Amino acid sequence: MRAFTYERASSVEAAAKAAASNPEAKFIAGGTNLLDLMKLEIETPTHLIDINGLGLDKIETTADGGLRIGALVRNTDLAAHETVRRDYGLLSRALVAGASGQLRNRATTAGNLLQRTRCPYFYDTNQPCNKRQPGSGCSAIGGFSRQHAVVGTSDACIATHPSDMAIAMSALDAVVETAKSDGSRRSIPIADFHRLPGDTPHIETILESGEFITAVVLPPPFGGKHIYRKVRDRASYAFAIVSIGAVIQQDGTGRVAVGGVAHKPWRIEAADTELPKGARVTASALLADARPTEQNRFKIDLVERALGAVIAEARD
Ligand SMILES: Cc1cc2nc3c(=O)[nH]c(=O)nc-3n(C[C@H](O)[C@H](O)[C@H](O)COP(=O)(O)OP(=O)(O)OC[C@H]3O[C@@H](n4cnc5c(N)ncnc54)[C@H](O)[C@@H]3O)c2cc1C
Ligand code: SF4
């Protein structure tokens, strides 16, 4: 691990300014992803800005009946919160499907959204990886690609986003609130927050230098049945091969986001419109323009079947 300096931010504005003035600085929240990456020298910040003391750990009702979740709310606290369990069950279920109890006690809302891919080549510093070292190549293309993305990929990167929580946030139409170093704030719909890899897979979100997440806001509850189905290689402590986050209403209408298939949570508009007709959800409609590899072609059938199971569960 390389040497770094450390400060505890005194305010939101000071944190954003400190980060904007030093391109080698990083925010640290729970540290459960960042510290692992620093130990492997995949991330090498020279300065850490600790944002844990900024009071961003509250869950509050908004004026329109939605919910504002502070960036530093721990995954355990969010999953267990009474309103979340009652009105946003999908979010609660997705959170408890992720990581382990010990990790969820540390991991934060913002850190979870910003966790980095689990592509094995990204972690293997002996292998080329455009995300870790831009321009070096992608070892997964033509390599071991069973876990990788099937939609929204590029010739530079086929990694997936690993977060369970982000899939629920996507189906729930969350909005990410941020603060910038010039004192301004913005609200970013989650659909626009993460980027596809394109030619720059190392740039994963639309956050600007120094900009940091202060909260995630959920709209007023949609009602309906909330289901999170995670398909993985073992029953716990494993990332999703494929996951489905769904809110399905009694009339059969619904909203669906899929995990494990793309560089960002994949909101399936076709599925949203086909659910009401009760039509059989086909893989081609679900993942239009999919470009699977030979090793991960199975994910397309898996998504179709997992979604079929979710719809059947909702109808029960
Ligand atoms: C063994 C293991 C298994 C796991 N399994 C799963 C799983 O099954 N499903 C799943 O979803 N996750 C899983 N995780 C990942 C875990 O959920 C993340 O590590 C965690 O959510 C990251 O949150 P954190 O607060 O610790 O982030 P940190 O490690 O502190 O930060 C992560 C990144 O976010 C940035 N950041 C943090 N807060 C802010 C902010 N407010 N504004 C701007 N930038 C910020 C940091 O600079 C850093 O780049 C697993 C992790 C481990 C180690
Ligand atoms: S898929 Fe992306 S993260 Fe994995 S090796 Fe290729 S460039 Fe790196």
Side-chain angles (χ1 to χ4, degrees), residues 26-27 29-34 51 99 108 110-112 114-115 163-164 212-213 230 239:
K26 293 235 44 149
F27 300 115
T32 61
N33 190 216
L34 182 58
I51 53 174
T108 63
N112 193 313
L114 293 169
Q115 63 175 291
S163 167
D164 291 294
F212 86 99
I213 300 175
K230 179 172 178 177
F239 288 91

mmCIF file with all atom_site columns, all heavy atoms in Angstrom, residues 26-27 29-34 51 99 108 110-112 114-115 163-164 212-213 230 239, ligand 1:
data_model
loop_
_atom_site.group_PDB
_atom_site.id
_atom_site.type_symbol
_atom_site.label_atom_id
_atom_site.label_alt_id
_atom_site.label_comp_id
_atom_site.label_asym_id
_atom_site.label_entity_id
_atom_site.label_seq_id
_atom_site.pdbx_PDB_ins_code
_atom_site.Cartn_x
_atom_site.Cartn_y
_atom_site.Cartn_z
_atom_site.occupancy
_atom_site.B_iso_or_equiv
_atom_site.pdbx_formal_charge
_atom_site.auth_seq_id
_atom_site.auth_comp_id
_atom_site.auth_asym_id
_atom_site.auth_atom_id
_atom_site.pdbx_PDB_model_num
ATOM   1   N N   . LYS A 1 26  ? -9.094  11.179  -2.816 1.00 0.00 ? 26  LYS A N   1
ATOM   2   C CA  . LYS A 1 26  ? -10.338 10.412  -2.901 1.00 0.00 ? 26  LYS A CA  1
ATOM   3   C C   . LYS A 1 26  ? -11.105 10.581  -1.608 1.00 0.00 ? 26  LYS A C   1
ATOM   4   O O   . LYS A 1 26  ? -10.507 10.704  -0.542 1.00 0.00 ? 26  LYS A O   1
ATOM   5   C CB  . LYS A 1 26  ? -10.039 8.906   -3.080 1.00 0.00 ? 26  LYS A CB  1
ATOM   6   C CG  . LYS A 1 26  ? -9.417  8.573   -4.385 1.00 0.00 ? 26  LYS A CG  1
ATOM   7   C CD  . LYS A 1 26  ? -10.071 7.554   -5.244 1.00 0.00 ? 26  LYS A CD  1
ATOM   8   C CE  . LYS A 1 26  ? -11.480 7.452   -5.530 1.00 0.00 ? 26  LYS A CE  1
ATOM   9   N NZ  . LYS A 1 26  ? -11.867 6.915   -6.802 1.00 0.00 ? 26  LYS A NZ  1
ATOM   10  N N   . PHE A 1 27  ? -12.431 10.517  -1.719 1.00 0.00 ? 27  PHE A N   1
ATOM   11  C CA  . PHE A 1 27  ? -13.255 10.467  -0.514 1.00 0.00 ? 27  PHE A CA  1
ATOM   12  C C   . PHE A 1 27  ? -13.194 9.052   0.039  1.00 0.00 ? 27  PHE A C   1
ATOM   13  O O   . PHE A 1 27  ? -13.105 8.094   -0.714 1.00 0.00 ? 27  PHE A O   1
ATOM   14  C CB  . PHE A 1 27  ? -14.719 10.778  -0.847 1.00 0.00 ? 27  PHE A CB  1
ATOM   15  C CG  . PHE A 1 27  ? -14.922 12.134  -1.447 1.00 0.00 ? 27  PHE A CG  1
ATOM   16  C CD1 . PHE A 1 27  ? -15.379 12.279  -2.750 1.00 0.00 ? 27  PHE A CD1 1
ATOM   17  C CD2 . PHE A 1 27  ? -14.659 13.272  -0.699 1.00 0.00 ? 27  PHE A CD2 1
ATOM   18  C CE1 . PHE A 1 27  ? -15.576 13.537  -3.312 1.00 0.00 ? 27  PHE A CE1 1
ATOM   19  C CE2 . PHE A 1 27  ? -14.852 14.538  -1.250 1.00 0.00 ? 27  PHE A CE2 1
ATOM   20  C CZ  . PHE A 1 27  ? -15.299 14.662  -2.563 1.00 0.00 ? 27  PHE A CZ  1
ATOM   21  N N   . ALA A 1 29  ? -15.543 6.612   2.587  1.00 0.00 ? 29  ALA A N   1
ATOM   22  C CA  . ALA A 1 29  ? -16.777 6.459   3.377  1.00 0.00 ? 29  ALA A CA  1
ATOM   23  C C   . ALA A 1 29  ? -16.576 5.235   4.275  1.00 0.00 ? 29  ALA A C   1
ATOM   24  O O   . ALA A 1 29  ? -15.809 5.284   5.232  1.00 0.00 ? 29  ALA A O   1
ATOM   25  C CB  . ALA A 1 29  ? -17.970 6.337   2.444  1.00 0.00 ? 29  ALA A CB  1
ATOM   26  N N   . GLY A 1 30  ? -17.214 4.103   3.941  1.00 0.00 ? 30  GLY A N   1
ATOM   27  C CA  . GLY A 1 30  ? -16.998 2.885   4.741  1.00 0.00 ? 30  GLY A CA  1
ATOM   28  C C   . GLY A 1 30  ? -15.628 2.270   4.498  1.00 0.00 ? 30  GLY A C   1
ATOM   29  O O   . GLY A 1 30  ? -15.100 1.539   5.345  1.00 0.00 ? 30  GLY A O   1
ATOM   30  N N   . GLY A 1 31  ? -15.064 2.521   3.347  1.00 0.00 ? 31  GLY A N   1
ATOM   31  C CA  . GLY A 1 31  ? -13.725 2.016   3.009  1.00 0.00 ? 31  GLY A CA  1
ATOM   32  C C   . GLY A 1 31  ? -13.699 0.553   2.583  1.00 0.00 ? 31  GLY A C   1
ATOM   33  O O   . GLY A 1 31  ? -12.633 0.015   2.294  1.00 0.00 ? 31  GLY A O   1
ATOM   34  N N   . THR A 1 32  ? -14.853 -0.095  2.482  1.00 0.00 ? 32  THR A N   1
ATOM   35  C CA  . THR A 1 32  ? -14.840 -1.547  2.224  1.00 0.00 ? 32  THR A CA  1
ATOM   36  C C   . THR A 1 32  ? -14.427 -1.894  0.797  1.00 0.00 ? 32  THR A C   1
ATOM   37  O O   . THR A 1 32  ? -13.982 -3.007  0.537  1.00 0.00 ? 32  THR A O   1
ATOM   38  C CB  . THR A 1 32  ? -16.231 -2.178  2.496  1.00 0.00 ? 32  THR A CB  1
ATOM   39  O OG1 . THR A 1 32  ? -17.193 -1.574  1.625  1.00 0.00 ? 32  THR A OG1 1
ATOM   40  C CG2 . THR A 1 32  ? -16.660 -2.009  3.934  1.00 0.00 ? 32  THR A CG2 1
ATOM   41  N N   . ASN A 1 33  ? -14.547 -0.964  -0.120 1.00 0.00 ? 33  ASN A N   1
ATOM   42  C CA  . ASN A 1 33  ? -14.058 -1.200  -1.480 1.00 0.00 ? 33  ASN A CA  1
ATOM   43  C C   . ASN A 1 33  ? -12.741 -0.452  -1.701 1.00 0.00 ? 33  ASN A C   1
ATOM   44  O O   . ASN A 1 33  ? -11.758 -1.022  -2.190 1.00 0.00 ? 33  ASN A O   1
ATOM   45  C CB  . ASN A 1 33  ? -15.117 -0.759  -2.497 1.00 0.00 ? 33  ASN A CB  1
ATOM   46  C CG  . ASN A 1 33  ? -14.791 -1.203  -3.911 1.00 0.00 ? 33  ASN A CG  1
ATOM   47  O OD1 . ASN A 1 33  ? -15.060 -0.490  -4.865 1.00 0.00 ? 33  ASN A OD1 1
ATOM   48  N ND2 . ASN A 1 33  ? -14.215 -2.376  -4.082 1.00 0.00 ? 33  ASN A ND2 1
ATOM   49  N N   . LEU A 1 34  ? -12.714 0.800   -1.296 1.00 0.00 ? 34  LEU A N   1
ATOM   50  C CA  . LEU A 1 34  ? -11.533 1.628   -1.568 1.00 0.00 ? 34  LEU A CA  1
ATOM   51  C C   . LEU A 1 34  ? -10.265 1.053   -0.923 1.00 0.00 ? 34  LEU A C   1
ATOM   52  O O   . LEU A 1 34  ? -9.202  0.982   -1.564 1.00 0.00 ? 34  LEU A O   1
ATOM   53  C CB  . LEU A 1 34  ? -11.782 3.056   -1.073 1.00 0.00 ? 34  LEU A CB  1
ATOM   54  C CG  . LEU A 1 34  ? -10.638 4.041   -1.331 1.00 0.00 ? 34  LEU A CG  1
ATOM   55  C CD1 . LEU A 1 34  ? -10.326 4.137   -2.818 1.00 0.00 ? 34  LEU A CD1 1
ATOM   56  C CD2 . LEU A 1 34  ? -10.966 5.417   -0.765 1.00 0.00 ? 34  LEU A CD2 1
ATOM   57  N N   . ILE A 1 51  ? -15.314 11.504  4.926  1.00 0.00 ? 51  ILE A N   1
ATOM   58  C CA  . ILE A 1 51  ? -16.589 12.242  4.956  1.00 0.00 ? 51  ILE A CA  1
ATOM   59  C C   . ILE A 1 51  ? -17.568 11.654  5.978  1.00 0.00 ? 51  ILE A C   1
ATOM   60  O O   . ILE A 1 51  ? -18.743 11.996  5.978  1.00 0.00 ? 51  ILE A O   1
ATOM   61  C CB  . ILE A 1 51  ? -17.227 12.273  3.545  1.00 0.00 ? 51  ILE A CB  1
ATOM   62  C CG1 . ILE A 1 51  ? -17.350 10.857  2.965  1.00 0.00 ? 51  ILE A CG1 1
ATOM   63  C CG2 . ILE A 1 51  ? -16.423 13.160  2.616  1.00 0.00 ? 51  ILE A CG2 1
ATOM   64  C CD1 . ILE A 1 51  ? -18.089 10.793  1.652  1.00 0.00 ? 51  ILE A CD1 1
ATOM   65  N N   . ALA A 1 99  ? -23.213 -8.719  -0.167 1.00 0.00 ? 99  ALA A N   1
ATOM   66  C CA  . ALA A 1 99  ? -22.072 -8.799  0.754  1.00 0.00 ? 99  ALA A CA  1
ATOM   67  C C   . ALA A 1 99  ? -22.384 -9.674  1.981  1.00 0.00 ? 99  ALA A C   1
ATOM   68  O O   . ALA A 1 99  ? -23.015 -10.721 1.852  1.00 0.00 ? 99  ALA A O   1
ATOM   69  C CB  . ALA A 1 99  ? -21.626 -7.397  1.145  1.00 0.00 ? 99  ALA A CB  1
ATOM   70  N N   . THR A 1 108 ? -21.688 2.152   2.849  1.00 0.00 ? 108 THR A N   1
ATOM   71  C CA  . THR A 1 108 ? -22.605 3.295   2.829  1.00 0.00 ? 108 THR A CA  1
ATOM   72  C C   . THR A 1 108 ? -23.387 3.355   1.513  1.00 0.00 ? 108 THR A C   1
ATOM   73  O O   . THR A 1 108 ? -23.018 2.722   0.522  1.00 0.00 ? 108 THR A O   1
ATOM   74  C CB  . THR A 1 108 ? -21.822 4.613   2.975  1.00 0.00 ? 108 THR A CB  1
ATOM   75  O OG1 . THR A 1 108 ? -20.958 4.755   1.838  1.00 0.00 ? 108 THR A OG1 1
ATOM   76  C CG2 . THR A 1 108 ? -21.014 4.635   4.267  1.00 0.00 ? 108 THR A CG2 1
ATOM   77  N N   . ALA A 1 110 ? -23.664 5.910   -0.656 1.00 0.00 ? 110 ALA A N   1
ATOM   78  C CA  . ALA A 1 110 ? -22.877 6.466   -1.776 1.00 0.00 ? 110 ALA A CA  1
ATOM   79  C C   . ALA A 1 110 ? -21.769 5.511   -2.194 1.00 0.00 ? 110 ALA A C   1
ATOM   80  O O   . ALA A 1 110 ? -21.538 5.280   -3.385 1.00 0.00 ? 110 ALA A O   1
ATOM   81  C CB  . ALA A 1 110 ? -22.282 7.809   -1.368 1.00 0.00 ? 110 ALA A CB  1
ATOM   82  N N   . GLY A 1 111 ? -21.074 4.941   -1.202 1.00 0.00 ? 111 GLY A N   1
ATOM   83  C CA  . GLY A 1 111 ? -19.980 4.023   -1.525 1.00 0.00 ? 111 GLY A CA  1
ATOM   84  C C   . GLY A 1 111 ? -20.469 2.815   -2.298 1.00 0.00 ? 111 GLY A C   1
ATOM   85  O O   . GLY A 1 111 ? -19.795 2.324   -3.213 1.00 0.00 ? 111 GLY A O   1
ATOM   86  N N   . ASN A 1 112 ? -21.661 2.354   -1.979 1.00 0.00 ? 112 ASN A N   1
ATOM   87  C CA  . ASN A 1 112 ? -22.229 1.202   -2.678 1.00 0.00 ? 112 ASN A CA  1
ATOM   88  C C   . ASN A 1 112 ? -22.472 1.542   -4.149 1.00 0.00 ? 112 ASN A C   1
ATOM   89  O O   . ASN A 1 112 ? -22.144 0.762   -5.047 1.00 0.00 ? 112 ASN A O   1
ATOM   90  C CB  . ASN A 1 112 ? -23.529 0.774   -1.982 1.00 0.00 ? 112 ASN A CB  1
ATOM   91  C CG  . ASN A 1 112 ? -24.004 -0.583  -2.452 1.00 0.00 ? 112 ASN A CG  1
ATOM   92  O OD1 . ASN A 1 112 ? -24.037 -0.839  -3.646 1.00 0.00 ? 112 ASN A OD1 1
ATOM   93  N ND2 . ASN A 1 112 ? -24.389 -1.450  -1.534 1.00 0.00 ? 112 ASN A ND2 1
ATOM   94  N N   . LEU A 1 114 ? -20.892 3.629   -5.864 1.00 0.00 ? 114 LEU A N   1
ATOM   95  C CA  . LEU A 1 114 ? -19.624 3.923   -6.537 1.00 0.00 ? 114 LEU A CA  1
ATOM   96  C C   . LEU A 1 114 ? -18.614 2.788   -6.441 1.00 0.00 ? 114 LEU A C   1
ATOM   97  O O   . LEU A 1 114 ? -17.459 2.949   -6.855 1.00 0.00 ? 114 LEU A O   1
ATOM   98  C CB  . LEU A 1 114 ? -19.019 5.213   -5.949 1.00 0.00 ? 114 LEU A CB  1
ATOM   99  C CG  . LEU A 1 114 ? -19.839 6.463   -6.271 1.00 0.00 ? 114 LEU A CG  1
ATOM   100 C CD1 . LEU A 1 114 ? -19.357 7.643   -5.450 1.00 0.00 ? 114 LEU A CD1 1
ATOM   101 C CD2 . LEU A 1 114 ? -19.766 6.791   -7.750 1.00 0.00 ? 114 LEU A CD2 1
ATOM   102 N N   . GLN A 1 115 ? -19.025 1.649   -5.910 1.00 0.00 ? 115 GLN A N   1
ATOM   103 C CA  . GLN A 1 115 ? -18.097 0.512   -5.856 1.00 0.00 ? 115 GLN A CA  1
ATOM   104 C C   . GLN A 1 115 ? -17.687 0.128   -7.265 1.00 0.00 ? 115 GLN A C   1
ATOM   105 O O   . GLN A 1 115 ? -18.448 0.319   -8.220 1.00 0.00 ? 115 GLN A O   1
ATOM   106 C CB  . GLN A 1 115 ? -18.736 -0.683  -5.143 1.00 0.00 ? 115 GLN A CB  1
ATOM   107 C CG  . GLN A 1 115 ? -19.956 -1.243  -5.831 1.00 0.00 ? 115 GLN A CG  1
ATOM   108 C CD  . GLN A 1 115 ? -20.465 -2.497  -5.138 1.00 0.00 ? 115 GLN A CD  1
ATOM   109 O OE1 . GLN A 1 115 ? -19.819 -3.528  -5.178 1.00 0.00 ? 115 GLN A OE1 1
ATOM   110 N NE2 . GLN A 1 115 ? -21.615 -2.395  -4.492 1.00 0.00 ? 115 GLN A NE2 1
ATOM   111 N N   . SER A 1 163 ? -23.199 -3.737  -7.989 1.00 0.00 ? 163 SER A N   1
ATOM   112 C CA  . SER A 1 163 ? -24.063 -3.398  -6.845 1.00 0.00 ? 163 SER A CA  1
ATOM   113 C C   . SER A 1 163 ? -25.458 -4.002  -6.946 1.00 0.00 ? 163 SER A C   1
ATOM   114 O O   . SER A 1 163 ? -26.136 -3.870  -7.968 1.00 0.00 ? 163 SER A O   1
ATOM   115 C CB  . SER A 1 163 ? -24.189 -1.878  -6.736 1.00 0.00 ? 163 SER A CB  1
ATOM   116 O OG  . SER A 1 163 ? -25.236 -1.533  -5.860 1.00 0.00 ? 163 SER A OG  1
ATOM   117 N N   . ASP A 1 164 ? -25.918 -4.626  -5.853 1.00 0.00 ? 164 ASP A N   1
ATOM   118 C CA  . ASP A 1 164 ? -27.317 -5.051  -5.750 1.00 0.00 ? 164 ASP A CA  1
ATOM   119 C C   . ASP A 1 164 ? -28.203 -3.835  -5.477 1.00 0.00 ? 164 ASP A C   1
ATOM   120 O O   . ASP A 1 164 ? -29.265 -3.685  -6.080 1.00 0.00 ? 164 ASP A O   1
ATOM   121 C CB  . ASP A 1 164 ? -27.480 -6.065  -4.614 1.00 0.00 ? 164 ASP A CB  1
ATOM   122 C CG  . ASP A 1 164 ? -26.806 -7.395  -4.932 1.00 0.00 ? 164 ASP A CG  1
ATOM   123 O OD1 . ASP A 1 164 ? -27.257 -8.074  -5.863 1.00 0.00 ? 164 ASP A OD1 1
ATOM   124 O OD2 . ASP A 1 164 ? -25.810 -7.743  -4.264 1.00 0.00 ? 164 ASP A OD2 1
ATOM   125 N N   . PHE A 1 212 ? -19.377 15.432  -4.940 1.00 0.00 ? 212 PHE A N   1
ATOM   126 C CA  . PHE A 1 212 ? -19.647 14.225  -4.178 1.00 0.00 ? 212 PHE A CA  1
ATOM   127 C C   . PHE A 1 212 ? -21.113 14.066  -3.808 1.00 0.00 ? 212 PHE A C   1
ATOM   128 O O   . PHE A 1 212 ? -21.886 15.008  -3.815 1.00 0.00 ? 212 PHE A O   1
ATOM   129 C CB  . PHE A 1 212 ? -18.671 14.059  -3.016 1.00 0.00 ? 212 PHE A CB  1
ATOM   130 C CG  . PHE A 1 212 ? -19.033 14.744  -1.734 1.00 0.00 ? 212 PHE A CG  1
ATOM   131 C CD1 . PHE A 1 212 ? -19.620 14.013  -0.711 1.00 0.00 ? 212 PHE A CD1 1
ATOM   132 C CD2 . PHE A 1 212 ? -18.759 16.062  -1.530 1.00 0.00 ? 212 PHE A CD2 1
ATOM   133 C CE1 . PHE A 1 212 ? -19.935 14.610  0.490  1.00 0.00 ? 212 PHE A CE1 1
ATOM   134 C CE2 . PHE A 1 212 ? -19.074 16.676  -0.341 1.00 0.00 ? 212 PHE A CE2 1
ATOM   135 C CZ  . PHE A 1 212 ? -19.661 15.951  0.672  1.00 0.00 ? 212 PHE A CZ  1
ATOM   136 N N   . ILE A 1 213 ? -21.464 12.827  -3.541 1.00 0.00 ? 213 ILE A N   1
ATOM   137 C CA  . ILE A 1 213 ? -22.866 12.486  -3.291 1.00 0.00 ? 213 ILE A CA  1
ATOM   138 C C   . ILE A 1 213 ? -23.220 12.874  -1.859 1.00 0.00 ? 213 ILE A C   1
ATOM   139 O O   . ILE A 1 213 ? -22.497 12.533  -0.917 1.00 0.00 ? 213 ILE A O   1
ATOM   140 C CB  . ILE A 1 213 ? -23.095 10.967  -3.484 1.00 0.00 ? 213 ILE A CB  1
ATOM   141 C CG1 . ILE A 1 213 ? -22.731 10.548  -4.913 1.00 0.00 ? 213 ILE A CG1 1
ATOM   142 C CG2 . ILE A 1 213 ? -24.532 10.584  -3.154 1.00 0.00 ? 213 ILE A CG2 1
ATOM   143 C CD1 . ILE A 1 213 ? -22.809 9.041   -5.150 1.00 0.00 ? 213 ILE A CD1 1
ATOM   144 N N   . LYS A 1 230 ? -31.890 -12.708 -6.962 1.00 0.00 ? 230 LYS A N   1
ATOM   145 C CA  . LYS A 1 230 ? -30.453 -12.677 -7.282 1.00 0.00 ? 230 LYS A CA  1
ATOM   146 C C   . LYS A 1 230 ? -29.999 -14.101 -7.592 1.00 0.00 ? 230 LYS A C   1
ATOM   147 O O   . LYS A 1 230 ? -30.141 -14.993 -6.757 1.00 0.00 ? 230 LYS A O   1
ATOM   148 C CB  . LYS A 1 230 ? -29.693 -12.118 -6.073 1.00 0.00 ? 230 LYS A CB  1
ATOM   149 C CG  . LYS A 1 230 ? -28.187 -12.045 -6.245 1.00 0.00 ? 230 LYS A CG  1
ATOM   150 C CD  . LYS A 1 230 ? -27.548 -11.309 -5.068 1.00 0.00 ? 230 LYS A CD  1
ATOM   151 C CE  . LYS A 1 230 ? -26.037 -11.260 -5.174 1.00 0.00 ? 230 LYS A CE  1
ATOM   152 N NZ  . LYS A 1 230 ? -25.397 -10.503 -4.084 1.00 0.00 ? 230 LYS A NZ  1
ATOM   153 N N   . PHE A 1 239 ? -21.392 -12.204 -5.607 1.00 0.00 ? 239 PHE A N   1
ATOM   154 C CA  . PHE A 1 239 ? -21.997 -11.192 -6.467 1.00 0.00 ? 239 PHE A CA  1
ATOM   155 C C   . PHE A 1 239 ? -22.976 -11.861 -7.429 1.00 0.00 ? 239 PHE A C   1
ATOM   156 O O   . PHE A 1 239 ? -22.896 -13.064 -7.689 1.00 0.00 ? 239 PHE A O   1
ATOM   157 C CB  . PHE A 1 239 ? -20.895 -10.446 -7.230 1.00 0.00 ? 239 PHE A CB  1
ATOM   158 C CG  . PHE A 1 239 ? -20.106 -9.534  -6.337 1.00 0.00 ? 239 PHE A CG  1
ATOM   159 C CD1 . PHE A 1 239 ? -18.961 -9.985  -5.691 1.00 0.00 ? 239 PHE A CD1 1
ATOM   160 C CD2 . PHE A 1 239 ? -20.516 -8.227  -6.112 1.00 0.00 ? 239 PHE A CD2 1
ATOM   161 C CE1 . PHE A 1 239 ? -18.248 -9.156  -4.838 1.00 0.00 ? 239 PHE A CE1 1
ATOM   162 C CE2 . PHE A 1 239 ? -19.812 -7.394  -5.267 1.00 0.00 ? 239 PHE A CE2 1
ATOM   163 C CZ  . PHE A 1 239 ? -18.674 -7.860  -4.627 1.00 0.00 ? 239 PHE A CZ  1
HETATM 164 C C1  . LIG B 2 .   ? -16.090 -9.623  0.107  1.00 0.00 ? 1   LIG B C1  1
HETATM 165 C C2  . LIG B 2 .   ? -17.061 -8.616  -0.417 1.00 0.00 ? 1   LIG B C2  1
HETATM 166 C C3  . LIG B 2 .   ? -18.283 -9.045  -0.922 1.00 0.00 ? 1   LIG B C3  1
HETATM 167 C C4  . LIG B 2 .   ? -19.190 -8.103  -1.413 1.00 0.00 ? 1   LIG B C4  1
HETATM 168 N N1  . LIG B 2 .   ? -20.384 -8.545  -1.923 1.00 0.00 ? 1   LIG B N1  1
HETATM 169 C C5  . LIG B 2 .   ? -21.265 -7.623  -2.442 1.00 0.00 ? 1   LIG B C5  1
HETATM 170 C C6  . LIG B 2 .   ? -22.504 -8.034  -3.030 1.00 0.00 ? 1   LIG B C6  1
HETATM 171 O O1  . LIG B 2 .   ? -22.836 -9.211  -3.073 1.00 0.00 ? 1   LIG B O1  1
HETATM 172 N N2  . LIG B 2 .   ? -23.317 -7.069  -3.532 1.00 0.00 ? 1   LIG B N2  1
HETATM 173 C C7  . LIG B 2 .   ? -22.992 -5.751  -3.500 1.00 0.00 ? 1   LIG B C7  1
HETATM 174 O O2  . LIG B 2 .   ? -23.766 -4.916  -3.974 1.00 0.00 ? 1   LIG B O2  1
HETATM 175 N N3  . LIG B 2 .   ? -21.822 -5.333  -2.970 1.00 0.00 ? 1   LIG B N3  1
HETATM 176 C C8  . LIG B 2 .   ? -20.966 -6.237  -2.444 1.00 0.00 ? 1   LIG B C8  1
HETATM 177 N N4  . LIG B 2 .   ? -19.776 -5.817  -1.913 1.00 0.00 ? 1   LIG B N4  1
HETATM 178 C C9  . LIG B 2 .   ? -19.381 -4.425  -2.082 1.00 0.00 ? 1   LIG B C9  1
HETATM 179 C C10 . LIG B 2 .   ? -19.809 -3.533  -0.949 1.00 0.00 ? 1   LIG B C10 1
HETATM 180 O O3  . LIG B 2 .   ? -21.213 -3.385  -1.015 1.00 0.00 ? 1   LIG B O3  1
HETATM 181 C C11 . LIG B 2 .   ? -19.101 -2.208  -1.198 1.00 0.00 ? 1   LIG B C11 1
HETATM 182 O O4  . LIG B 2 .   ? -17.731 -2.418  -0.908 1.00 0.00 ? 1   LIG B O4  1
HETATM 183 C C12 . LIG B 2 .   ? -19.646 -1.088  -0.358 1.00 0.00 ? 1   LIG B C12 1
HETATM 184 O O5  . LIG B 2 .   ? -21.007 -0.861  -0.631 1.00 0.00 ? 1   LIG B O5  1
HETATM 185 C C13 . LIG B 2 .   ? -18.862 0.202   -0.620 1.00 0.00 ? 1   LIG B C13 1
HETATM 186 O O6  . LIG B 2 .   ? -19.298 1.181   0.294  1.00 0.00 ? 1   LIG B O6  1
HETATM 187 P P1  . LIG B 2 .   ? -18.245 1.972   1.187  1.00 0.00 ? 1   LIG B P1  1
HETATM 188 O O7  . LIG B 2 .   ? -19.001 2.999   1.933  1.00 0.00 ? 1   LIG B O7  1
HETATM 189 O O8  . LIG B 2 .   ? -17.418 1.025   1.982  1.00 0.00 ? 1   LIG B O8  1
HETATM 190 O O9  . LIG B 2 .   ? -17.372 2.650   0.035  1.00 0.00 ? 1   LIG B O9  1
HETATM 191 P P2  . LIG B 2 .   ? -15.844 3.100   0.052  1.00 0.00 ? 1   LIG B P2  1
HETATM 192 O O10 . LIG B 2 .   ? -14.983 1.921   -0.125 1.00 0.00 ? 1   LIG B O10 1
HETATM 193 O O11 . LIG B 2 .   ? -15.564 4.025   1.170  1.00 0.00 ? 1   LIG B O11 1
HETATM 194 O O12 . LIG B 2 .   ? -15.852 3.987   -1.279 1.00 0.00 ? 1   LIG B O12 1
HETATM 195 C C14 . LIG B 2 .   ? -16.094 3.420   -2.548 1.00 0.00 ? 1   LIG B C14 1
HETATM 196 C C15 . LIG B 2 .   ? -15.898 4.527   -3.582 1.00 0.00 ? 1   LIG B C15 1
HETATM 197 O O13 . LIG B 2 .   ? -16.893 5.525   -3.435 1.00 0.00 ? 1   LIG B O13 1
HETATM 198 C C16 . LIG B 2 .   ? -16.300 6.810   -3.257 1.00 0.00 ? 1   LIG B C16 1
HETATM 199 N N5  . LIG B 2 .   ? -17.212 7.538   -2.353 1.00 0.00 ? 1   LIG B N5  1
HETATM 200 C C17 . LIG B 2 .   ? -17.683 7.077   -1.163 1.00 0.00 ? 1   LIG B C17 1
HETATM 201 N N6  . LIG B 2 .   ? -18.592 7.943   -0.692 1.00 0.00 ? 1   LIG B N6  1
HETATM 202 C C18 . LIG B 2 .   ? -18.684 8.964   -1.584 1.00 0.00 ? 1   LIG B C18 1
HETATM 203 C C19 . LIG B 2 .   ? -19.488 10.137  -1.683 1.00 0.00 ? 1   LIG B C19 1
HETATM 204 N N7  . LIG B 2 .   ? -20.375 10.476  -0.738 1.00 0.00 ? 1   LIG B N7  1
HETATM 205 N N8  . LIG B 2 .   ? -19.352 10.928  -2.767 1.00 0.00 ? 1   LIG B N8  1
HETATM 206 C C20 . LIG B 2 .   ? -18.441 10.610  -3.741 1.00 0.00 ? 1   LIG B C20 1
HETATM 207 N N9  . LIG B 2 .   ? -17.644 9.522   -3.695 1.00 0.00 ? 1   LIG B N9  1
HETATM 208 C C21 . LIG B 2 .   ? -17.795 8.702   -2.640 1.00 0.00 ? 1   LIG B C21 1
HETATM 209 C C22 . LIG B 2 .   ? -14.935 6.550   -2.705 1.00 0.00 ? 1   LIG B C22 1
HETATM 210 O O14 . LIG B 2 .   ? -14.021 7.595   -3.029 1.00 0.00 ? 1   LIG B O14 1
HETATM 211 C C23 . LIG B 2 .   ? -14.562 5.269   -3.443 1.00 0.00 ? 1   LIG B C23 1
HETATM 212 O O15 . LIG B 2 .   ? -14.100 5.569   -4.733 1.00 0.00 ? 1   LIG B O15 1
HETATM 213 C C24 . LIG B 2 .   ? -18.862 -6.727  -1.392 1.00 0.00 ? 1   LIG B C24 1
HETATM 214 C C25 . LIG B 2 .   ? -17.637 -6.305  -0.867 1.00 0.00 ? 1   LIG B C25 1
HETATM 215 C C26 . LIG B 2 .   ? -16.733 -7.233  -0.389 1.00 0.00 ? 1   LIG B C26 1
HETATM 216 C C27 . LIG B 2 .   ? -15.437 -6.742  0.154  1.00 0.00 ? 1   LIG B C27 1
#
